[in-house]
Coordinates of all heavy atoms in Angstrom, one line a residue:
M1 N -8.9 176.6 0.9 CA -8.1 177.8 1.2 C -7.3 177.4 2.5 O -7.8 176.9 3.5 CB -9.1 178.9 1.5 CG -8.3 180.1 2.0 SD -9.3 181.4 2.7 CE -9.7 182.4 1.3
A2 N -6.0 177.8 2.4 CA -5.1 177.5 3.5 C -5.3 178.5 4.6 O -5.6 179.7 4.4 CB -3.7 177.5 3.0
E3 N -5.0 178.1 5.8 CA -5.2 179.0 7.0 C -4.0 178.7 8.0 O -3.4 177.7 7.9 CB -6.5 178.8 7.7 CG -6.8 177.4 8.2 CD -8.2 177.3 8.7 OE1 -8.5 177.8 9.8 OE2 -9.0 176.6 8.0
S4 N -3.8 179.7 8.9 CA -2.8 179.5 9.9 C -3.4 178.9 11.1 O -4.6 179.1 11.4 CB -2.2 180.8 10.2 OG -1.5 181.4 9.2
V5 N -2.6 178.1 11.9 CA -3.0 177.6 13.2 C -2.0 178.0 14.2 O -0.9 178.4 13.8 CB -3.2 176.0 13.1 CG1 -4.3 175.6 12.1 CG2 -1.9 175.3 12.8
V6 N -2.3 177.9 15.4 CA -1.3 178.2 16.5 C -1.1 176.9 17.3 O -2.0 176.3 17.9 CB -1.9 179.3 17.4 CG1 -0.9 179.6 18.5 CG2 -2.2 180.6 16.6
V7 N 0.2 176.5 17.3 CA 0.7 175.4 18.1 C 0.9 175.9 19.5 O 1.6 176.9 19.7 CB 1.9 174.8 17.5 CG1 2.4 173.6 18.4 CG2 1.7 174.3 16.1
V8 N 0.3 175.3 20.5 CA 0.5 175.7 21.9 C 1.2 174.6 22.7 O 0.7 173.4 22.7 CB -0.9 176.0 22.5 CG1 -0.8 176.4 24.0 CG2 -1.7 177.0 21.7
R9 N 2.3 174.9 23.4 CA 3.0 173.9 24.1 C 3.1 174.4 25.6 O 3.7 175.5 25.8 CB 4.4 173.7 23.6 CG 5.2 172.7 24.3 CD 6.5 172.3 23.6 NE 6.2 171.7 22.3 CZ 7.0 171.7 21.2 NH1 8.2 172.3 21.3 NH2 6.6 171.2 20.1
K10 N 2.5 173.7 26.5 CA 2.6 174.0 27.9 C 4.0 173.8 28.4 O 4.8 173.0 27.9 CB 1.6 173.2 28.7 CG 0.2 173.5 28.4 CD -0.8 172.6 29.2 CE -2.2 172.9 28.8 NZ -3.2 172.1 29.5
P11 N 4.4 174.5 29.5 CA 5.7 174.3 30.1 C 5.9 172.8 30.5 O 4.9 172.1 30.8 CB 5.7 175.2 31.3 CG 4.7 176.2 31.1 CD 3.7 175.6 30.2
G12 N 7.1 172.3 30.6 CA 7.3 170.9 30.9 C 7.0 170.6 32.4 O 6.4 171.4 33.1
K13 N 7.4 169.4 32.8 CA 7.1 169.0 34.2 C 8.5 168.8 34.9 O 9.5 168.5 34.3 CB 6.3 167.7 34.2 CG 4.9 167.9 33.6 CD 4.1 166.6 33.7 CE 2.7 166.9 33.1 NZ 1.9 165.7 33.2
D14 N 8.4 168.9 36.2 CA 9.6 168.7 37.0 C 9.8 167.2 37.3 O 9.0 166.4 36.8 CB 9.6 169.5 38.3 CG 8.5 169.1 39.3 OD1 7.9 168.0 39.1 OD2 8.2 169.8 40.2
N15 N 10.8 166.8 38.1 CA 11.1 165.4 38.3 C 10.0 164.7 39.1 O 9.9 163.5 39.2 CB 12.4 165.3 39.1 CG 13.6 165.7 38.3 OD1 13.5 165.7 37.1 ND2 14.7 166.1 38.9
F16 N 9.0 165.5 39.7 CA 7.9 164.9 40.5 C 6.6 164.9 39.7 O 5.6 164.5 40.2 CB 7.7 165.6 41.8 CG 8.9 165.6 42.7 CD1 9.8 166.7 42.7 CD2 9.2 164.4 43.4 CE1 10.9 166.6 43.5 CE2 10.4 164.4 44.2 CZ 11.2 165.5 44.3
G17 N 6.7 165.3 38.4 CA 5.5 165.3 37.5 C 4.7 166.5 37.6 O 3.6 166.5 37.1
R18 N 5.1 167.5 38.4 CA 4.4 168.7 38.5 C 4.7 169.7 37.4 O 5.8 169.8 37.0 CB 4.7 169.4 39.9 CG 4.2 168.6 41.1 CD 4.6 169.2 42.3 NE 6.1 169.4 42.4 CZ 6.8 169.2 43.5 NH1 6.3 169.0 44.6 NH2 8.1 169.4 43.4
R19 N 3.7 170.3 36.9 CA 3.8 171.3 35.8 C 4.7 172.4 36.2 O 4.5 173.0 37.3 CB 2.5 171.8 35.3 CG 2.5 172.7 34.2 CD 2.3 172.3 32.8 NE 1.5 171.1 32.5 CZ 1.8 170.3 31.5 NH1 2.9 170.6 30.8 NH2 1.1 169.3 31.2
L20 N 5.7 172.8 35.4 CA 6.5 173.9 35.7 C 5.8 175.2 35.5 O 4.9 175.3 34.7 CB 7.8 173.9 34.8 CG 8.7 172.7 35.0 CD1 9.8 172.7 33.9 CD2 9.3 172.8 36.4
P21 N 6.1 176.3 36.3 CA 5.4 177.5 36.1 C 5.7 178.2 34.8 O 6.8 177.9 34.2 CB 5.8 178.4 37.3 CG 7.2 177.8 37.7 CD 7.1 176.4 37.3
G22 N 4.9 179.1 34.3 CA 5.2 179.8 33.1 C 4.0 179.7 32.1 O 3.1 178.9 32.3
E23 N 4.1 180.6 31.2 CA 3.1 180.7 30.1 C 3.4 179.6 29.0 O 4.6 179.4 28.8 CB 3.0 182.1 29.5 CG 2.5 183.1 30.5 CD 1.1 182.9 30.8 OE1 0.3 182.6 29.9 OE2 0.8 182.9 32.0
P24 N 2.4 179.1 28.3 CA 2.6 178.2 27.2 C 3.3 179.0 26.1 O 3.1 180.1 25.9 CB 1.2 177.8 26.8 CG 0.3 178.1 27.9 CD 1.0 179.3 28.6
A25 N 4.2 178.2 25.4 CA 4.8 178.8 24.2 C 3.8 178.7 23.0 O 3.0 177.7 23.0 CB 6.1 178.0 23.9
R26 N 3.8 179.6 22.1 CA 2.9 179.6 21.0 C 3.7 179.9 19.7 O 4.5 180.8 19.7 CB 1.8 180.7 21.2 CG 1.0 180.4 22.4 CD 0.0 181.6 22.6 NE -0.7 181.4 23.9 CZ -1.8 180.6 24.0 NH1 -2.3 180.0 23.0 NH2 -2.4 180.5 25.2
W27 N 3.3 179.2 18.6 CA 3.9 179.4 17.3 C 2.8 179.4 16.3 O 2.0 178.4 16.2 CB 4.9 178.3 17.0 CG 6.0 178.2 17.9 CD1 7.2 178.9 17.9 CD2 6.2 177.3 19.0 NE1 8.0 178.5 19.0 CE2 7.4 177.5 19.7 CE3 5.3 176.3 19.6 CZ2 7.8 176.8 20.8 CZ3 5.7 175.6 20.7 CH2 7.0 175.9 21.3
T28 N 2.7 180.4 15.4 CA 1.8 180.4 14.4 C 2.4 179.8 13.1 O 3.5 180.1 12.7 CB 1.4 181.9 14.0 OG1 0.8 182.5 15.2 CG2 0.4 182.0 12.9
V29 N 1.7 178.8 12.6 CA 2.2 178.0 11.5 C 1.1 178.2 10.3 O 0.0 177.8 10.5 CB 2.4 176.6 11.8 CG1 3.0 175.8 10.6 CG2 3.2 176.4 13.1
P30 N 1.5 178.7 9.2 CA 0.6 178.9 8.0 C 0.5 177.6 7.2 O 1.3 176.7 7.3 CB 1.3 180.0 7.3 CG 2.7 179.9 7.5 CD 2.8 179.3 8.9
G31 N -0.4 177.6 6.3 CA -0.5 176.6 5.2 C -1.3 175.4 5.5 O -1.1 174.3 4.9
F32 N -2.2 175.4 6.5 CA -3.0 174.2 6.8 C -4.4 174.3 6.2 O -5.0 175.4 6.0 CB -3.2 174.1 8.3 CG -1.9 173.5 9.0 CD1 -1.0 174.4 9.5 CD2 -1.7 172.2 9.1 CE1 0.2 173.9 10.1 CE2 -0.6 171.6 9.7 CZ 0.3 172.5 10.2
Q33 N -5.0 173.1 6.0 CA -6.4 173.0 5.7 C -7.0 172.1 6.8 O -6.5 171.1 7.2 CB -6.6 172.4 4.3 CG -6.2 173.3 3.2 CD -6.4 172.8 1.9 OE1 -6.8 171.6 1.7 NE2 -6.3 173.6 0.9
F34 N -8.2 172.6 7.3 CA -8.9 171.9 8.4 C -10.1 171.1 7.9 O -10.9 171.7 7.2 CB -9.2 172.9 9.5 CG -9.9 172.3 10.7 CD1 -9.3 171.3 11.5 CD2 -11.2 172.6 11.0 CE1 -10.0 170.8 12.6 CE2 -11.9 172.1 12.1 CZ -11.3 171.2 12.9
A35 N -10.2 169.8 8.3 CA -11.3 169.0 8.0 C -12.0 168.7 9.3 O -11.5 167.9 10.1 CB -11.0 167.8 7.2
P36 N -13.2 169.3 9.6 CA -13.9 169.0 10.8 C -14.4 167.5 10.8 O -14.7 167.1 9.7 CB -15.1 169.9 10.9 CG -14.8 171.0 9.8 CD -13.8 170.4 8.9
G37 N -14.4 166.9 11.9 CA -14.9 165.5 12.0 C -16.1 165.4 12.8 O -16.7 166.4 13.2
P38 N -16.5 164.2 13.1 CA -17.8 164.0 13.8 C -17.6 164.3 15.3 O -16.5 164.4 15.8 CB -18.0 162.5 13.6 CG -16.7 161.9 13.4 CD -15.9 162.9 12.7
S39 N -18.8 164.5 15.9 CA -18.8 164.7 17.4 C -19.6 163.6 18.0 O -20.5 163.0 17.4 CB -19.5 166.0 17.7 OG -18.8 167.1 17.3
Q40 N -19.3 163.3 19.3 CA -20.1 162.3 20.0 C -20.1 162.7 21.5 O -19.2 163.3 22.0 CB -19.5 160.9 19.9 CG -18.1 160.8 20.4 CD -17.5 159.4 20.2 OE1 -18.2 158.5 19.7 NE2 -16.3 159.1 20.6
E41 N -21.2 162.4 22.1 CA -21.3 162.6 23.6 C -20.6 161.5 24.3 O -20.6 160.3 23.9 CB -22.8 162.6 24.0 CG -23.6 163.8 23.5 CD -25.0 163.9 24.0 OE1 -25.3 163.4 25.1 OE2 -25.8 164.4 23.2
V42 N -19.9 161.9 25.4 CA -19.2 160.9 26.2 C -20.0 160.5 27.4 O -20.3 161.3 28.3 CB -17.8 161.5 26.6 CG1 -17.1 160.5 27.4 CG2 -17.0 162.0 25.4
G43 N -20.5 159.2 27.4 CA -21.3 158.8 28.5 C -22.7 159.3 28.5 O -23.0 160.3 27.9
V44 N -23.6 158.6 29.2 CA -25.0 159.1 29.2 C -25.1 160.2 30.2 O -24.8 160.1 31.4 CB -25.9 157.9 29.6 CG1 -27.3 158.3 29.7 CG2 -25.7 156.7 28.6
G45 N -25.6 161.4 29.7 CA -25.8 162.5 30.6 C -24.5 163.1 31.2 O -24.5 163.8 32.1
A46 N -23.4 162.8 30.6 CA -22.1 163.3 31.1 C -21.9 164.7 30.8 O -21.1 165.4 31.5 CB -20.9 162.4 30.6
G47 N -22.5 165.2 29.8 CA -22.3 166.6 29.4 C -21.0 166.9 28.7 O -20.7 168.1 28.5
Q48 N -20.3 165.9 28.3 CA -19.0 166.1 27.6 C -19.3 165.7 26.1 O -20.0 164.7 25.8 CB -17.9 165.3 28.1 CG -17.1 165.9 29.2 CD -15.8 165.2 29.5 OE1 -15.7 164.0 29.3 NE2 -14.9 165.9 30.1
V49 N -18.6 166.4 25.2 CA -18.7 166.1 23.8 C -17.3 166.1 23.3 O -16.5 167.0 23.5 CB -19.5 167.2 23.1 CG1 -19.5 166.9 21.6 CG2 -21.0 167.2 23.6
E50 N -17.0 165.0 22.5 CA -15.7 164.9 21.9 C -15.9 165.2 20.4 O -16.8 164.6 19.8 CB -15.1 163.5 22.0 CG -14.6 163.2 23.4 CD -14.0 161.8 23.5 OE1 -14.0 161.0 22.5 OE2 -13.4 161.5 24.6
T51 N -15.1 166.0 19.8 CA -15.1 166.4 18.4 C -13.8 166.1 17.8 O -12.7 166.5 18.3 CB -15.5 167.8 18.2 OG1 -16.7 168.1 18.9 CG2 -15.6 168.2 16.7
D52 N -13.8 165.3 16.7 CA -12.6 165.0 15.9 C -12.3 166.0 14.8 O -13.3 166.7 14.4 CB -12.7 163.6 15.3 CG -12.8 162.5 16.4 OD1 -12.3 162.7 17.5 OD2 -13.4 161.5 16.1
G53 N -11.1 166.1 14.4 CA -10.7 167.0 13.3 C -9.4 166.5 12.7 O -8.7 165.8 13.4
T54 N -9.1 166.9 11.5 CA -7.9 166.6 10.9 C -7.3 167.8 10.2 O -8.0 168.6 9.5 CB -8.1 165.5 9.8 OG1 -8.7 164.4 10.4 CG2 -6.8 165.0 9.2
L55 N -6.0 168.0 10.4 CA -5.3 169.1 9.7 C -4.4 168.5 8.6 O -3.7 167.5 8.9 CB -4.4 169.8 10.7 CG -5.0 170.9 11.6 CD1 -3.9 171.4 12.6 CD2 -5.6 172.0 10.8
Y56 N -4.5 169.1 7.5 CA -3.6 168.8 6.4 C -2.7 170.0 6.2 O -3.2 171.1 6.0 CB -4.4 168.5 5.1 CG -5.3 167.3 5.3 CD1 -6.7 167.5 5.7 CD2 -4.9 166.0 5.1 CE1 -7.5 166.4 5.9 CE2 -5.8 164.9 5.3 CZ -7.1 165.2 5.7 OH -7.9 164.1 5.9
G57 N -1.4 169.7 6.3 CA -0.5 170.9 6.3 C 0.8 170.7 5.4 O 0.9 169.8 4.7
P58 N 1.6 171.7 5.6 CA 2.9 171.7 4.8 C 3.8 170.6 5.2 O 3.6 169.9 6.2 CB 3.5 173.1 5.1 CG 2.9 173.5 6.5 CD 1.5 172.8 6.5
P59 N 4.9 170.4 4.4 CA 5.8 169.4 4.8 C 6.4 169.6 6.2 O 6.5 170.7 6.7 CB 6.9 169.5 3.7 CG 6.2 170.1 2.6 CD 5.2 171.0 3.2
K60 N 6.7 168.5 6.8 CA 7.2 168.5 8.2 C 8.4 169.4 8.4 O 8.6 170.1 9.4 CB 7.6 167.1 8.7 CG 7.9 167.0 10.1 CD 8.0 165.5 10.5 CE 8.3 165.3 12.0 NZ 9.5 166.1 12.5
V61 N 9.3 169.4 7.4 CA 10.5 170.3 7.5 C 10.1 171.8 7.6 O 10.8 172.5 8.3 CB 11.5 170.0 6.3 CG1 10.9 170.4 5.0 CG2 12.8 170.6 6.5
S62 N 9.0 172.2 6.9 CA 8.6 173.6 7.0 C 8.0 173.9 8.4 O 8.2 174.9 8.9 CB 7.5 173.8 6.0 OG 8.0 173.6 4.7
I63 N 7.3 172.9 9.0 CA 6.8 173.1 10.3 C 7.9 173.1 11.4 O 7.9 174.0 12.2 CB 5.8 171.9 10.7 CG1 4.6 172.0 9.7 CG2 5.3 172.0 12.1 CD1 3.7 170.8 9.8
D64 N 8.9 172.2 11.2 CA 10.0 172.1 12.1 C 10.8 173.4 12.1 O 11.5 173.7 13.1 CB 10.9 170.9 11.8 CG 10.2 169.6 12.1 OD1 9.0 169.6 12.7 OD2 10.7 168.6 11.8
A65 N 10.8 174.2 11.0 CA 11.6 175.4 10.9 C 10.9 176.5 11.8 O 11.6 177.4 12.2 CB 11.6 175.9 9.5
I66 N 9.6 176.3 12.2 CA 8.9 177.3 13.0 C 8.8 176.8 14.4 O 9.0 177.6 15.4 CB 7.5 177.6 12.4 CG1 7.7 178.2 11.0 CG2 6.7 178.5 13.3 CD1 6.4 178.3 10.2
V67 N 8.4 175.5 14.6 CA 8.1 174.9 15.9 C 9.4 174.1 16.4 O 9.6 173.1 15.7 CB 6.9 174.1 15.9 CG1 6.6 173.5 17.3 CG2 5.7 174.8 15.4
P68 N 10.1 174.5 17.4 CA 11.2 173.8 17.9 C 10.8 172.3 18.2 O 9.8 172.1 18.8 CB 11.7 174.5 19.1 CG 11.1 175.9 19.0 CD 9.8 175.7 18.2
T69 N 11.6 171.4 17.8 CA 11.3 169.9 17.9 C 10.1 169.5 17.2 O 9.6 168.3 17.4 CB 11.3 169.5 19.4 OG1 10.2 170.0 20.0 CG2 12.6 169.9 20.1
G70 N 9.5 170.3 16.4 CA 8.3 169.9 15.6 C 7.1 169.8 16.5 O 7.1 170.0 17.8
I71 N 5.9 169.5 16.0 CA 4.7 169.3 16.7 C 4.7 168.0 17.4 O 5.0 166.9 16.8 CB 3.5 169.4 15.8 CG1 3.4 170.8 15.2 CG2 2.2 169.1 16.6 CD1 2.3 171.0 14.1
Q72 N 4.5 168.0 18.7 CA 4.6 166.8 19.6 C 3.2 166.3 20.0 O 2.2 167.1 20.0 CB 5.3 167.2 20.9 CG 6.7 167.7 20.6 CD 7.6 166.6 20.0 OE1 7.6 165.5 20.5 NE2 8.3 166.9 19.0
P73 N 3.0 165.0 20.3 CA 1.7 164.5 20.7 C 1.2 165.2 22.0 O 0.0 165.1 22.2 CB 2.0 163.0 21.0 CG 3.2 162.7 20.2 CD 4.0 164.0 20.2
T74 N 2.0 165.9 22.8 CA 1.6 166.6 24.0 C 1.1 168.0 23.7 O 0.7 168.7 24.6 CB 2.7 166.6 25.0 OG1 3.9 167.1 24.4 CG2 2.9 165.2 25.5
D75 N 1.3 168.5 22.5 CA 0.9 169.8 22.1 C -0.6 170.0 21.9 O -1.3 169.0 21.7 CB 1.6 170.3 20.8 CG 3.1 170.5 21.0 OD1 3.6 170.7 22.2 OD2 3.9 170.4 20.0
H76 N -1.0 171.2 21.9 CA -2.4 171.5 21.5 C -2.3 172.5 20.3 O -1.3 173.1 20.1 CB -3.1 172.2 22.7 CG -3.4 171.3 23.8 ND1 -2.5 170.9 24.7 CD2 -4.6 170.8 24.2 CE1 -3.0 170.1 25.6 NE2 -4.3 170.0 25.3
I77 N -3.4 172.5 19.5 CA -3.4 173.4 18.4 C -4.7 174.2 18.4 O -5.8 173.6 18.4 CB -3.3 172.6 17.1 CG1 -1.9 171.8 17.1 CG2 -3.4 173.5 15.8 CD1 -1.6 171.0 15.8
D78 N -4.5 175.5 18.3 CA -5.7 176.4 18.2 C -6.1 176.5 16.7 O -5.4 177.0 15.9 CB -5.3 177.8 18.7 CG -6.5 178.7 18.8 OD1 -7.4 178.6 18.0 OD2 -6.5 179.6 19.7
V79 N -7.3 176.0 16.5 CA -7.9 176.0 15.1 C -9.2 176.7 15.2 O -10.1 176.3 15.9 CB -8.1 174.6 14.6 CG1 -8.7 174.6 13.2 CG2 -6.9 173.7 14.6
R80 N -9.2 177.9 14.5 CA -10.5 178.7 14.5 C -11.0 179.0 15.8 O -12.3 179.0 16.1 CB -11.5 178.0 13.6 CG -11.1 177.7 12.2 CD -12.1 176.9 11.4 NE -11.6 176.7 10.1 CZ -12.2 175.9 9.2 NH1 -13.3 175.2 9.5 NH2 -11.7 175.7 8.0
G81 N -10.2 179.2 16.8 CA -10.6 179.6 18.2 C -10.9 178.4 19.1 O -11.2 178.7 20.3
D82 N -10.8 177.2 18.6 CA -10.9 176.0 19.5 C -9.6 175.4 19.7 O -8.8 175.2 18.8 CB -11.9 175.0 18.9 CG -13.3 175.5 18.9 OD1 -13.8 176.1 19.9 OD2 -14.0 175.2 17.9
L83 N -9.3 175.0 21.0 CA -8.0 174.4 21.4 C -8.1 172.9 21.3 O -8.7 172.3 22.2 CB -7.6 174.9 22.7 CG -6.1 174.7 23.1 CD1 -5.2 175.3 22.1 CD2 -5.8 175.1 24.5
Y84 N -7.6 172.3 20.3 CA -7.7 170.8 20.1 C -6.4 170.2 20.7 O -5.3 170.8 20.7 CB -7.7 170.5 18.6 CG -9.0 170.7 17.9 CD1 -9.4 172.0 17.5 CD2 -9.9 169.7 17.7 CE1 -10.6 172.2 16.8 CE2 -11.1 169.9 17.0 CZ -11.4 171.2 16.6 OH -12.6 171.4 16.0
Q85 N -6.5 168.9 21.1 CA -5.4 168.1 21.5 C -4.9 167.4 20.3 O -5.6 166.9 19.4 CB -5.8 167.1 22.5 CG -6.4 167.6 23.8 CD -7.0 166.6 24.7 OE1 -7.1 165.4 24.3 NE2 -7.4 167.0 25.8
V86 N -3.5 167.3 20.2 CA -2.9 166.5 19.1 C -3.1 165.0 19.5 O -2.8 164.6 20.7 CB -1.4 166.8 18.9 CG1 -0.8 165.9 17.9 CG2 -1.3 168.3 18.5
V87 N -3.5 164.1 18.6 CA -3.7 162.7 18.9 C -2.6 162.0 18.1 O -2.6 161.9 16.9 CB -5.1 162.2 18.4 CG1 -5.2 160.7 18.6 CG2 -6.2 163.0 19.1
G88 N -1.7 161.4 18.9 CA -0.6 160.6 18.3 C 0.5 161.5 17.6 O 0.5 162.7 17.9
R89 N 1.2 160.9 16.8 CA 2.3 161.6 16.1 C 1.8 162.2 14.8 O 0.9 161.8 14.2 CB 3.4 160.6 15.7 CG 4.1 160.1 16.9 CD 5.3 159.2 16.5 NE 6.0 158.7 17.7 CZ 7.1 158.1 17.7 NH1 7.7 157.9 16.5 NH2 7.7 157.7 18.8
V90 N 2.6 163.3 14.4 CA 2.3 163.9 13.1 C 2.7 162.9 12.0 O 3.7 162.3 12.1 CB 3.2 165.2 13.0 CG1 3.1 165.7 11.5 CG2 2.8 166.2 14.0
Q91 N 1.8 162.7 11.1 CA 2.0 161.8 9.9 C 2.8 162.6 8.9 O 2.3 163.6 8.3 CB 0.7 161.3 9.4 CG -0.1 160.5 10.4 CD -1.5 160.2 9.9 OE1 -1.7 160.0 8.7 NE2 -2.5 160.2 10.8
D92 N 4.0 162.1 8.6 CA 4.9 162.8 7.7 C 4.8 162.1 6.3 O 5.2 161.0 6.1 CB 6.3 162.7 8.2 CG 7.3 163.4 7.3 OD1 6.9 164.0 6.3 OD2 8.5 163.4 7.7
W93 N 4.2 162.9 5.3 CA 4.1 162.3 4.0 C 5.1 162.9 3.0 O 4.9 163.1 1.8 CB 2.7 162.6 3.5 CG 1.6 161.9 4.2 CD1 1.5 161.5 5.5 CD2 0.4 161.4 3.6 NE1 0.4 160.8 5.7 CE2 -0.3 160.7 4.6 CE3 -0.1 161.4 2.3 CZ2 -1.5 160.1 4.3 CZ3 -1.3 160.8 2.1 CH2 -2.0 160.1 3.1
G94 N 6.3 163.3 3.6 CA 7.4 163.9 2.8 C 7.0 165.2 2.1 O 6.4 166.0 2.7
A95 N 7.3 165.3 0.9 CA 7.0 166.5 0.1 C 5.5 166.8 0.0 O 5.1 167.9 -0.3 CB 7.7 166.5 -1.2
S96 N 4.7 165.8 0.2 CA 3.3 165.9 0.0 C 2.6 166.7 1.2 O 1.5 167.1 1.1 CB 2.6 164.6 -0.2 OG 3.0 164.0 -1.4
G97 N 3.4 166.7 2.3 CA 2.9 167.4 3.5 C 2.7 166.6 4.7 O 3.3 165.5 4.8
T98 N 1.9 167.0 5.7 CA 1.7 166.3 6.9 C 0.2 166.2 7.2 O -0.7 167.0 6.6 CB 2.3 167.1 8.1 OG1 1.7 168.5 8.1 CG2 3.8 167.2 8.0
V99 N -0.2 165.2 8.0 CA -1.5 165.0 8.5 C -1.5 165.0 10.0 O -0.7 164.2 10.6 CB -2.1 163.7 7.9 CG1 -3.6 163.5 8.5 CG2 -2.2 163.8 6.4
I100 N -2.3 165.7 10.7 CA -2.4 165.8 12.1 C -3.8 165.5 12.6 O -4.7 166.2 12.2 CB -1.9 167.2 12.7 CG1 -0.5 167.5 12.1 CG2 -1.9 167.2 14.2 CD1 0.0 168.9 12.4
V101 N -4.0 164.5 13.4 CA -5.3 164.1 13.9 C -5.5 164.9 15.2 O -4.6 164.9 16.0 CB -5.4 162.6 14.1 CG1 -6.7 162.2 14.7 CG2 -5.2 161.8 12.8
L102 N -6.7 165.4 15.4 CA -7.0 166.3 16.5 C -8.3 165.8 17.2 O -9.1 165.1 16.6 CB -7.2 167.7 16.1 CG -6.1 168.4 15.3 CD1 -6.6 169.8 14.8 CD2 -4.9 168.5 16.2
K103 N -8.4 166.2 18.5 CA -9.6 165.9 19.3 C -9.8 167.1 20.2 O -8.9 167.6 20.8 CB -9.4 164.6 20.1 CG -10.7 164.3 21.0 CD -10.6 163.0 21.7 CE -10.5 161.8 20.7 NZ -11.7 161.5 19.9
L104 N -11.1 167.5 20.2 CA -11.6 168.6 21.1 C -12.6 168.0 22.1 O -13.5 167.3 21.7 CB -12.2 169.7 20.3 CG -12.9 170.8 21.0 CD1 -11.9 171.7 21.7 CD2 -13.7 171.7 20.0
V105 N -12.3 168.2 23.4 CA -13.2 167.8 24.4 C -13.8 169.0 25.1 O -13.1 169.9 25.6 CB -12.5 166.9 25.5 CG1 -13.5 166.5 26.6 CG2 -11.9 165.7 24.8
T106 N -15.2 169.1 25.1 CA -15.8 170.3 25.7 C -16.8 169.7 26.7 O -17.4 168.7 26.6 CB -16.6 171.1 24.6 OG1 -17.5 170.3 23.9 CG2 -15.6 171.8 23.7
G107 N -17.1 170.6 27.7 CA -18.0 170.2 28.8 C -17.5 169.5 29.9 O -16.4 169.1 30.1

């Protein structure tokens, strides 16, 4: 079953690398299927857990019509209430759709 996700883009940075003030931009994009991936603890006793996931979605042209400049590697995506980081570039499979690799770090 397809579901909507929210692409979250933080404000850019100034010439000194400092984050610009303002709220993140958000775009709701429909038509995705989410495949949860494995989790692993980071370091012994570190208290952090990394969880992988993969989004399978509509063609890139459909996403680009909603999200200006398309989904970027610096974006985050809210999936089912968890804010994942985009890992690498969106894989464009043409008319077959897109694949987006995600990572969630907690703790």
Side-chain angles (χ1 to χ4, degrees):
M1 174 195 271
E3 59 188 285
S4 295
V5 300
V6 178
V7 177
V8 180
R9 182 171 297 157
K10 295 180 180 177
K13 295 183 179 181
D14 65 15
N15 293 337
F16 299 101
R18 295 178 297 216
R19 179 100 24 219
L20 296 171
E23 292 296 315
R26 298 175 185 276
W27 300 276
T28 300
V29 184
F32 282 94
Q33 292 183 348
F34 178 63
S39 294
Q40 64 182 356
E41 291 184 30
V42 180
V44 178
Q48 275 193 334
V49 176
E50 289 183 353
T51 304
D52 296 329
T54 305
L55 280 175
Y56 299 92
K60 188 173 181 307
V61 66
S62 299
I63 296 170
D64 292 354
I66 298 170
V67 181
T69 68
I71 296 174
Q72 301 295 313
T74 54
D75 290 338
H76 290 75
I77 299 182
D78 186 326
V79 181
R80 300 177 181 170
D82 289 320
L83 195 60
Y84 286 82
Q85 300 170 353
V86 174
V87 177
R89 293 183 178 193
V90 172
Q91 300 171 35
D92 182 1
W93 290 36
S96 296
T98 55
V99 177
I100 304 170
V101 177
L102 303 174
K103 182 173 294 295
L104 174 66
V105 179
T106 55

